Amino acid sequence: MNTRAGDYRGKLAALGAPPGEVDDAKHLFDPNALTLGFARRFATYKRPNLLLHDQQRLLRLLSNSQRPVQLIIAGKAHPATRRGRP
């Protein structure tokens, strides 16, 4: 098992997640894929909209089985800002 995935599962269990969710967590991330992530604050200065600038290119990148890519987008806008919020 990937150590990072094991750490994540341990944290889920410690937070009281149901056993099924903890077990499902081992399938969340591919340790052999390039991982691109936005975490903590989802801010406009990080320019997340560039991912969608060329949608066909993004689709090619995400669907290439020879070079797997996974995106992790988490977090929320700063409470004092309106930009970057849904």
Side-chain angles (χ1 to χ4, degrees):
M1 175 194 342
N2 180 313
T3 303
R4 286 177 281 175
D7 291 346
Y8 181 73
R9 291 172 64 203
K11 288 177 185 177
L12 280 176
L15 291 171
E21 286 183 22
V22 174
D23 192 50
D24 288 344
K26 66 184 173 188
H27 303 290
L28 283 177
F29 305 112
D30 179 354
N32 298 311
L34 171 64
T35 302
L36 304 175
F38 290 90
R40 299 180 58 102
R41 293 285 180 211
F42 193 77
T44 55
Y45 72 85
K46 294 179 182 179
R47 302 172 65 184
N49 59 327
L50 289 178
L51 287 171
L52 302 174
H53 180 73
D54 184 341
Q55 293 179 9
Q56 291 302 316
R57 182 176 184 203
L58 178 61
L59 182 61
R60 285 192 310 273
L61 287 170
L62 296 178
S63 60
N64 183 338
S65 61
Q66 299 299 312
R67 294 182 175 167
V69 176
Q70 57 193 356
L71 294 176
I72 301 172
I73 300 176
K76 57 184 179 179
H78 190 278
T81 187
R82 300 303 259 167
R83 297 182 73 186
R85 289 185 180 194

